[in-house]
């Protein structure tokens, strides 16, 4: 035995005086020095080839374990893992519990010995049976995943529970999913929450996230949004991406977060109505960005929405498109839909209808209702794909059955008109109703029309009025026009010119040409409102410029008679001609048969049906005096009752 070996052994043994060692049972026991008398021991370490004397109370197994452990703390380049393994092996064979665990770890991971999973599990078993928590956890992991043993979830739960009862956080964390999902044990949400609390209190982010989820959903415990966000935030601050996303959603929705101050409520990123005062879009975006930095696809998708809408952050279509791309590559269904939307509308990228259809199809195949509707529109219009009314109707149906209001409306139209599927007006009405009940103004307006005029709703004007009003309240111009007309003419309602004017004005503001025309007539005649020729002219012109033939004709009359305008026969003729080109009968009569015949090619000879629309008119039947039939005798004329009565 060399001098160097003696000094090393002596110093090593003296080290036990001031520290604790693990006994063979795995427990930590103090070492006292009672002289050098004791047990002789030899080791496999090349540096300790001779026998040395152990202090009293220190077993050979304990000594070997501590020696191997100290050897493992050397510089990695100098560490002899094979030698360490041999020392652990001798200690384990002598029954040292922790050495058995380290030996199992060596066999599992091939440290100092060739990997042997079966042998690893056997050593874990020996150590676990002696109460070593790490070994109990490792053995549970082996049984859960079939590592070196036959997969057995019941045994996995058994060993995880033993480790968890000793405070092993990882085991406690694993037990959460076993009890929540009923894996290897009867499902017991309350038991899952118990283990979640234990692990969460130890600071394990996944356990904190799971506990938050239980509070959020009321799984195994009373629902508590404040507690949910509290634990989500703890996990989020430790870098848990799903928790960061959950915190962002909480600020987005204003759920489980503290009420903001009155001062903060005044910022543009706060929404102030009821619980909405809790919303904080700026905080939401901050947490989305943290999760995005970790590649979280849900956060990529949501942040993309904010960039696209400019909500809480400067609008940036290119940034939105790139985020949708990242999330779509991770097969996020919502991102696939919005990527199609960007390609369809050229948002952040060049328009590409073919790419739009590709991404709509991906999302639609996963049951995304908006994507199914969008794909249906592409098939209906033939954009990015060959037009196919049957596939359009089918995609509308798929989305409609998921409750998409737009799809329900479009599917109803397909049924009503027999587009791509056999017509069925009765079934169409049921889908119009579903859409209307969700607030779709177009469906409400169509229902109003069906109930007012359709055979399915004969005599059901009350329902017609109800749906027209619902649509009108949403600013639906055609519904406003219908109500205005009904009140003006007293159709199934008591005549009320003031109500008529109200609805015509609303529809006119929506640029409805027919409403502008009717309102112009009322202004011209002072019916229900003060007479205002200038306003009448303005409205006639607005409607005429939108192609309303009656407005074009009346604007011509105003120019001809100088009503509200300087007389201008050429301008009058121009507007008469525009109206006549659309077949407006009064304009045709005013222009006379000869003018009518020159609307097409002047050299063309019109005979029989070739004269078409105008064959009933004779050039001698109408002349300048015909203008007088409409109350426009001269610019002093203020009586337009005859004109109004004609309409």
């Amino acid at each position: 035995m060399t001098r160097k070996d003696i000094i090393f052994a002596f110093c090593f043994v003296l080290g036990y005086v001031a520290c604790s060692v693990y006994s063979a049972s795995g427990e930590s026991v103090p070492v006292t020095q009672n002289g050098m008398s004791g047990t002789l021991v030899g080791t496999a370490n090349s540096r300790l080839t001779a026998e040395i004397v152990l202090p009293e109370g220190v077993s050979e197994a304990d000594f070997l374990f501590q020696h191997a452990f100290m050897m493992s703390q050397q510089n990695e380049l100098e560490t002899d893992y094979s030698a360490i393994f041999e020392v652990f092996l001798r200690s384990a064979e002598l029954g040292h519990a922790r050495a058995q665990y380290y030996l199992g770890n060596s066999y599992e991971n091939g440290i100092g010995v060739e990997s042997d999973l079966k042998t690893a599990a056997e050593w874990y078993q020996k150590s676990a049976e002696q109460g070593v928590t790490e070994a109990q956890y490792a053995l549970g992991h082996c049984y859960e995943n079939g590592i070196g043993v036959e997969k057995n979830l019941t045994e996995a739960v058994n060993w995880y529970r033993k480790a968890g009862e000793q405070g092993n956080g990882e085991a406690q964390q694993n037990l959460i999913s076993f009890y929540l999902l009923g894996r290897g044990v009867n499902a017991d949400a309350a038991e899952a929450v118990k283990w979640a609390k234990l692990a969460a209190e130890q600071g394990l982010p996944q356990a904190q996230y799971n506990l938050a989820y239980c509070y959020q959903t009321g799984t195994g415990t009373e629902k508590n949004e404040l507690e949910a966000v509290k634990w989500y935030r703890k996990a989020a601050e430790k870098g848990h991406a799903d928790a960061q996303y959950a915190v962002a959603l909480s600020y987005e929705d204003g759920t489980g977060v503290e009420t903001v101050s009155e001062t903060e409520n005044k910022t543009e990123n706060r929404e102030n109505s009821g619980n909405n005062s809790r919303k904080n879009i700026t905080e939401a975006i901050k947490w989305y960005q943290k999760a995005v930095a970790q590649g979280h696809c849900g956060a990529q998708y949501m942040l993309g929405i904010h960039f696209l809408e400019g909500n809480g952050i400067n609008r940036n279509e290119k940034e939105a498109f790139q985020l949708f791309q990242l999330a779509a590559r991770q097969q996020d269904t919502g991102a696939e839909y919005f990527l199609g939307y960007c390609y369809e509308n050229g948002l952040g990228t060049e328009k590409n209808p073919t790419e739009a259809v590709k991404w709509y199809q991906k999302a639609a195949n996963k049951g995304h209702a908006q994507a199914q509707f969008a794909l249906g529109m592409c098939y209906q219009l033939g954009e990015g794909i060959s037009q196919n009314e049957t596939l359009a109707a089918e995609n509308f149906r798929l989305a409609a059955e998921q409750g998409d209001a737009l799809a329900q409306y479009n599917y109803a139209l397909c049924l009503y008109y027999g587009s791509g599927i056999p017509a069925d007006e009765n079934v169409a009405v049921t889908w119009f109703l579903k859409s209307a009940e969700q607030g779709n103004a177009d469906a409400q307006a169509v229902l109003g029309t069906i109930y007012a005029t359709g055979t399915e709703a004969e005599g059901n004007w009350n329902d017609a009025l109800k749906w027209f009003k619902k649509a009108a309240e949403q600013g639906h111009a055609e519904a406003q026009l219908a109500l205005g007309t009904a009140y003006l003419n007293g159709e199934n309602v008591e005549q009320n010119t003031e109500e008529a004017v109200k609805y015509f004005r609303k529809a006119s503001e929506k640029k409805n040409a027919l409403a502008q025309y009717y309102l112009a007539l009322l202004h011209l005649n002072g019916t229900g409102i003060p007479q205002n020729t200038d306003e009448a002219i303005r409205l006639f012109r607005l409607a005429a410029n939108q192609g309303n033939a009656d407005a074009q004709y009346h604007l011509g009359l105003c120019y001809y008679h100088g009503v509200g305008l300087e007389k201008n026969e050429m301008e009058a003729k121009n507007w008469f001609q525009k109206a006549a080109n659309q077949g407006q009968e009064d304009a045709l009569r005013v222009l006379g048969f000869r003018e009518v015949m020159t609307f097409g090619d002047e050299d063309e000879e019109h005979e029989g049906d070739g004269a078409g629309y105008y064959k009933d008119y004779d050039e001698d039947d109408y002349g300048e005096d015909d203008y007088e039939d409409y109350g426009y005798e001269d610019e002093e004329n203020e009586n337009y009752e005859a004109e109004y009565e004609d309409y």
Side-chain angles (χ1 to χ4, degrees):
M1 185 173 186
T2 67
R3 177 180 175 83
K4 182 179 179 182
D5 288 331
I6 293 171
I7 294 173
F8 179 83
F10 181 70
C11 292
F12 181 77
V13 173
L14 287 180
Y16 277 71
V17 176
C19 66
S20 297
V21 298
Y22 283 97
S23 69
S25 66
E27 297 177 350
S28 179
V29 297
V31 177
T32 58
Q33 187 176 24
N34 295 316
M36 294 300 292
S37 62
T39 306
L40 295 174
V41 60
T43 78
N45 188 342
S46 59
R47 292 181 295 180
L48 294 174
T49 58
E51 295 177 340
I52 63 172
V53 180
L54 294 176
E56 249 182 61
V58 179
S59 70
E60 181 180 354
D62 291 335
F63 175 81
L64 291 169
F65 172 77
Q66 290 294 340
H67 178 45
F69 187 79
M70 290 185 68
M71 291 170 65
S72 70
Q73 305 307 303
Q74 297 177 29
N75 185 296
E76 187 174 349
L77 296 175
E78 299 175 3
T79 301
D80 185 345
Y81 290 107
S82 296
I84 295 171
F85 171 80
E86 292 297 331
V87 179
F88 273 137
L89 177 60
R90 178 69 189 280
S91 179
E93 288 172 341
L94 291 171
H96 194 284
R98 295 196 66 79
Q100 291 168 343
Y101 164 67
Y102 281 109
L103 200 62
N105 187 62
S106 296
Y107 273 114
E108 182 179 6
N109 297 291
I111 301 174
V113 67
E114 187 176 346
S115 178
D116 185 334
L117 299 180
K118 184 174 183 296
T119 303
E122 290 171 353
W123 283 111
Y124 283 146
Q125 181 91 33
K126 293 177 186 292
S127 179
E129 288 173 350
Q130 293 196 67
V132 176
T133 58
E134 294 91 342
Q136 291 168 339
Y137 170 77
L139 188 58
H141 181 73
C142 288
Y143 276 115
E144 181 183 5
N145 298 285
I147 299 172
V149 293
E150 187 176 344
K151 187 173 182 177
N152 187 325
L153 296 181
T154 301
E155 277 296 295
V157 171
N158 175 49
W159 288 107
Y160 281 145
R161 189 188 298 112
K162 289 180 183 293
E165 288 168 350
Q166 292 196 70
N168 185 286
E170 286 79 6
Q172 293 167 345
Q173 181 171 272
N174 285 2
L175 285 169
I176 302 170
S177 63
F178 277 87
Y179 279 105
L180 275 179
L181 303 175
R183 301 176 63 219
V185 68
N186 291 333
D188 187 337
E191 187 71 8
V193 170
K194 181 190 86 173
W195 291 109
K197 286 180 178 179
L198 290 170
E201 291 291 353
Q202 293 197 60
L204 277 70
Q206 184 61 44
Q208 293 170 334
Y209 174 82
N210 289 338
L211 181 59
Y213 174 82
C214 291
Y215 277 122
Q216 183 182 32
T217 60
T219 302
T221 186
E222 188 175 347
K223 190 173 181 179
N224 189 325
E225 291 177 344
L226 287 172
E227 278 294 298
V229 174
K230 167 186 143 183
W231 286 105
Y232 277 139
R233 188 161 194 130
K234 285 180 181 289
E237 288 169 350
K238 288 183 169 68
H240 192 289
D242 287 331
Q244 292 169 340
Y245 177 61
V247 170
L249 289 178
S250 297
Y251 279 113
E252 178 103 28
D253 300 332
T255 54
V257 292
E258 294 181 0
T259 307
V260 295
S261 69
E262 291 298 318
T263 301
E264 288 174 320
N265 264 327
K266 294 177 182 178
T267 65
E268 62 182 1
N269 291 320
R270 310 287 179 156
E271 298 181 38
N272 303 297
S273 59
N275 191 51
N276 285 345
S277 64
R278 299 174 184 268
K279 291 185 178 184
N280 188 328
I281 301 302
T282 300
E283 275 294 298
I285 289 172
K286 181 185 84 174
W287 286 104
Y288 284 139
Q289 289 172 329
K290 288 180 182 291
V292 164
Q294 297 193 68
H296 192 284
C297 63
Q300 291 166 342
Y301 164 67
M302 288 300 298
L303 191 57
I305 296 292
H306 280 279
F307 272 116
L308 189 63
E309 296 177 348
N311 182 16
I313 197 167
N314 290 333
R315 181 180 171 89
N316 189 325
E317 294 176 358
K318 187 173 182 180
E319 188 71 20
F321 175 76
Q322 290 172 347
L323 285 163
F324 291 143
Q325 275 189 317
L326 290 173
R329 287 170 188 161
Q330 296 188 66
Q331 300 184 357
D332 183 276
T333 308
E336 290 171 340
Y337 162 71
F338 269 99
L339 194 55
Y341 182 80
C342 288
Y343 275 119
E344 181 181 12
N345 296 284
L347 302 175
T349 185
E350 291 185 7
K351 279 190 178 183
N352 190 328
T354 303
E355 277 294 298
V357 168
K358 167 187 156 184
W359 288 104
Y360 283 150
Q361 187 74 66
K362 285 180 182 288
N365 289 343
K366 297 177 185 176
H368 192 284
Q370 287 176 286
Q372 290 166 338
F373 170 72
L375 188 60
M377 292 300 298
C378 290
Y379 275 119
Q380 189 173 69
L381 302 174
E383 293 182 352
I385 199 166
S386 298
Q387 191 174 33
N388 189 319
E389 292 185 351
T390 300
L391 288 177
E394 175 63 14
N395 277 283
F396 290 149
R397 181 187 66 79
L398 291 172
E401 289 174 349
Q402 292 193 69
D404 186 280
L406 284 173
Q408 290 169 341
Y409 171 68
N410 279 269
Y411 183 53
L413 288 176
C414 291
L415 285 163
Y416 198 81
Y417 294 107
S419 175
I421 47 176
D424 190 329
E425 292 186 7
N426 291 328
V427 177
V429 169
T430 65
W431 285 106
F432 280 132
L433 270 170
K434 289 179 186 289
S435 181
E437 286 166 354
Q438 290 197 71
N440 183 284
D442 288 327
Q444 292 168 344
V446 169
L447 272 180
T449 303
I450 290 174
Y451 283 131
T453 61
T455 57
E456 296 90 346
E458 188 173 355
N460 199 352
W461 178 255
N462 287 336
D463 280 340
L465 196 63
K466 177 184 81 172
W467 290 113
F468 277 141
K469 284 186 175 180
K470 285 183 179 290
E473 286 168 1
Q474 295 192 68
H476 195 284
E478 283 73 20
Q480 292 165 341
L481 173 66
L483 287 169
T485 305
Y487 280 115
L488 180 65
N489 298 321
E491 295 174 357
N492 298 300
V493 292
E494 186 177 347
Q495 188 176 29
N496 188 327
T497 308
E498 287 184 4
E499 281 292 290
V501 169
K502 179 183 83 173
Y503 283 113
F504 284 146
R505 183 171 286 125
K506 287 179 180 289
S508 295
E509 290 168 357
K510 295 286 184 180
K511 300 182 180 180
N512 183 282
L514 193 53
Q516 291 168 342
Y517 166 66
Y518 286 146
L519 191 58
L521 288 178
L522 295 176
H523 275 295
L524 191 65
N525 292 289
T527 305
I529 45 177
Q531 189 179 52
N532 188 331
T533 306
D534 290 341
E535 182 64 7
I537 297 298
R538 185 185 75 84
L539 289 165
F540 278 142
R541 192 179 302 280
L542 287 174
N545 285 334
Q546 290 191 74
N548 182 278
D550 289 327
Q552 291 169 341
Y553 165 69
H554 280 274
L555 189 57
L557 287 179
C558 290
Y559 271 114
Y560 188 84
H561 289 288
V563 177
L565 294 165
E566 186 176 343
K567 280 190 176 185
N568 188 327
E569 291 188 8
M570 290 299 295
E571 192 66 18
K573 183 178 180 182
N574 174 52
W575 285 108
F576 289 145
Q577 185 99 23
K578 288 178 183 290
N581 286 344
Q582 296 190 69
Q584 212 277 351
E585 294 185 4
D586 293 316
L588 290 169
R589 288 186 301 178
V590 167
L591 288 173
F593 187 68
R594 179 173 298 162
E595 291 288 347
V596 171
M597 294 294 287
T598 61
F599 287 162
D601 292 335
E602 294 189 7
D603 296 334
E604 183 178 349
E605 184 176 347
H606 299 285
E607 296 180 359
D609 289 340
Y613 205 92
Y614 319 112
K615 62 183 180 180
D616 293 334
Y617 300 101
D618 189 282
E619 60 182 310
D620 296 326
D621 288 343
Y622 301 98
E624 187 172 308
D625 293 341
D626 188 61
Y627 293 117
E628 299 176 2
D629 294 339
Y630 295 91
Y632 290 97
E633 289 91 343
D634 56 61
E635 60 182 340
E636 304 298 329
N637 191 326
E638 296 182 357
N639 180 15
Y640 302 104
E641 291 298 326
E643 168 60 27
Y644 168 69
E645 289 171 1
D646 285 345
Y647 291 90

